[in-house]
């Protein structure tokens, strides 16, 4: 095992402590901006109605929130703005069912409920001084975005930063308005890819795992952080292992349907782990200990 690999242990597990604020009580938040990212993804920028709570709101990159549409339901989303940029909290929502369809009807000025922050986070302290490779597919770019921007805001703490971001087509690429800034930056290596040729597309064409193998990033002193649809993750993990990344050097996030979000209801467990408090961030080494997850 390399030095980089052996130095990783799980980040602290935030848990609801009896006697603290009611973890089921959502905070009212106002939508200040809605961005249509793709045909089925919208981004919402929110501020807590309680200005003091907004000023004091503390979260870590990778933590999630439960967004509620009153009278409809609640669903889990990663806070994809970084903690270094606190003028609003950003969530990107892919339409999947009832709650997400209701969220897609929101307009600026509307009010939602938010229970956050929940879950663990990327162990960014232990990633300091290392080369960081981000590999995101589709909506999987959301959890990566928070850590990616956090690291850009603390650029000197990290070595080489690379981003490989892929989607089916240019129209399926979220955050398209930010991509030119990322590809132009000289202090990061940003590779964009789509599955099939498309008119006017000036970047790579190819599936993420194939493009990754072509990039051939060195595993020494490196960490890979990857998120995306299950099929992409499966082949990306295989590609990373081919490139000799050890399972302690690879991090991903798990999506398990949640209810309480605070380790009480038992809805989200995989083996002995609760995704809502032990996750959603796991190293591949941790995932390999879980029953049948990958
Ligand atoms: C830790 C975590 C972070 C997440 N972050 C994001 C994010 O940033 N952006 C985003 O768009 N989505 C994210 N999700 C997924 C999101 O929570 C679900 O898409 C949402 O709960 C669906 O709610 P719904 O009521 O619209 O769908 P439902 O009507 O409940 O279900 C519609 C379909 O989606 C499936 N589904 C529901 N929940 C999940 C789930 N958790 N994982 C996989 N399939 C599911 C159902 O099986 C069903 O087929 C995250 C989930 C977790 C657990
Ligand atoms: S969602 Fe209730 S224990 Fe995880």
């Amino acid at each position: 095992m390399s030095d980089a690999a052996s130095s990783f242990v799980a980040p602290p597990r935030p848990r609801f402590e009896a006697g603290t604020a009611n973890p089921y009580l959502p905070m009212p938040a106002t939508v200040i901006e809605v961005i249509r990212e793709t045909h089925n993804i919208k981004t919402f920028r929110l501020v807590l109605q309680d200005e003091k709570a907004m000023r004091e709101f503390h979260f870590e990159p990778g933590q999630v929130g439960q967004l509620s549409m009153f009278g409809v339901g609640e669903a889990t989303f990663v806070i994809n703005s970084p903690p270094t940029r606190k003028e609003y909290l950003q969530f990107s929502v892919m339409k999947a069912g009832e709650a997400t369809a209701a969220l897609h009807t929101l307009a600026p000025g509307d009010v939602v409920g938010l229970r956050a922050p929940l879950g663990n986070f990327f162990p960014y302290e232990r990633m300091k001084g290392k080369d960081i490779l981000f590999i995101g597919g589709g909506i999987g770019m959301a959890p990566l975005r928070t850590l990616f921007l956090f690291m850009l805001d603390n650029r000197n703490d990290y070595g080489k930063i690379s981003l490989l971001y892929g989607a089916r087509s240019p129209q399926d690429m979220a955050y398209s308005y930010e991509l030119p800034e990322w590809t132009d930056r000289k202090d990061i290596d940003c590779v964009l890819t789509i599955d099939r040729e498309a008119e006017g597309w000036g970047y790579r064409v190819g599936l993420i795992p194939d493009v990754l193998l072509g990039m051939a990033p060195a595993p020494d002193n490196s960490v890979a952080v990857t998120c995306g649809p299950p099929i992409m993750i499966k082949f990306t993990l295989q590609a990373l292992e081919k490139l000799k990344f050890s399972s302690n050097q690879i991090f991903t996030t798990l999506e398990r349907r949640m209810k309480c979000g605070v380790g009480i209801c038992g809805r989200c467990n995989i083996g002995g782990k609760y995704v809502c408090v032990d996750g959603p961030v796991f190293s591949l080494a941790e995932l390999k200990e879980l029953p049948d997850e990958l």
Side-chain angles (χ1 to χ4, degrees):
M1 192 188 289
S2 72
D3 286 350
S6 60
S7 61
F8 284 113
V9 291
R13 288 166 45 161
R15 245 180 216 284
F16 168 62
E17 301 292 339
T20 60
N22 181 348
Y24 295 115
L25 200 62
M27 300 176 281
T30 305
V31 177
I32 58 162
E33 195 177 347
V34 180
I35 302 169
R36 176 172 281 284
E37 302 280 0
T38 70
H39 73 285
N40 62 352
I41 302 173
K42 281 187 179 180
T43 287
F44 301 94
R45 294 180 171 166
L46 313 178
V47 291
L48 299 178
Q49 287 191 338
D50 181 335
E51 287 177 17
K52 182 166 177 287
M54 183 69 201
R55 266 195 317 277
E56 293 174 357
F57 186 80
H58 176 79
F59 69 101
E60 300 282 3
Q63 286 194 289
V64 301
Q66 292 276 57
L67 276 184
S68 46
M69 285 292 286
F70 302 119
V72 181
E74 234 188 5
T76 316
F77 306 95
V78 68
I79 307 170
N80 73 61
S81 46
T84 38
R85 304 181 192 184
K86 291 265 302 282
E87 57 277 26
Y88 52 77
L89 303 170
Q90 178 166 307
F91 298 86
S92 300
V93 176
M94 189 166 84
K95 226 190 225 184
E98 211 182 339
T100 48
L103 286 164
H104 269 233
T105 66
L106 288 170
D110 288 343
V111 178
V112 291
L114 174 65
R115 294 195 292 127
L118 302 171
N120 74 350
F121 50 90
F122 293 106
Y124 59 86
E125 282 291 339
R126 296 192 179 92
M127 295 179 180
K128 281 185 175 168
K130 303 195 186 304
D131 292 343
I132 316 291
L133 169 63
F134 291 93
I135 310 161
I139 188 68
M141 192 57 215
L144 299 192
R145 183 181 183 273
T146 177
L147 183 64
F148 179 68
L149 294 181
F150 175 84
M151 287 185 171
L152 294 188
D153 290 344
N154 293 281
R155 185 66 193 86
N156 293 336
D157 288 344
Y158 301 94
K160 184 177 171 191
I161 295 183
S162 311
L163 168 67
L164 167 57
Y165 174 31
R168 281 192 189 151
S169 71
Q171 294 72 31
D172 290 309
M173 214 143 225
Y175 316 118
S176 53
Y177 42 92
E178 291 178 319
L179 300 179
E181 185 194 325
W182 298 352
T183 50
D184 284 354
R185 273 182 79 136
K186 300 283 175 267
D187 61 343
I188 56 175
D189 184 14
C190 179
V191 175
L192 306 179
T193 186
I194 54 170
D195 291 358
R196 278 176 293 278
E197 293 283 357
E199 211 179 311
W201 177 251
Y203 304 99
R204 299 280 186 96
V205 176
L207 298 176
I208 290 170
D210 299 335
V211 176
L212 174 63
L213 286 171
M215 287 165 69
D220 309 332
N221 199 38
S222 291
V223 175
V225 188
T226 184
C227 261
I231 189 76
M232 174 219 128
I233 292 294
K234 180 177 173 193
F235 289 106
T236 297
L237 295 178
Q238 286 176 10
L240 285 168
E241 290 190 316
K242 246 187 223 167
L243 292 164
K244 304 275 183 259
F245 278 75
S246 79
S247 52
N248 283 299
Q249 287 172 280
I250 302 172
F251 290 83
T252 189
T253 65
L254 281 191
E255 283 197 9
R256 232 349 182 246
R257 183 99 59 125
M258 292 183 186
K259 212 164 177 72
C260 72
V262 288
I264 294 172
C265 74
R267 174 74 185 258
C268 66
N269 79 298
I270 304 174
K273 299 274 185 193
Y274 286 173
V275 174
C276 68
V277 285
D278 298 309
V281 176
F282 292 93
S283 69
L284 180 58
E286 290 170 309
L287 290 186
K288 284 183 169 173
E289 300 289 314
L290 300 180
D292 271 338
E293 194 41 42
L294 290 169

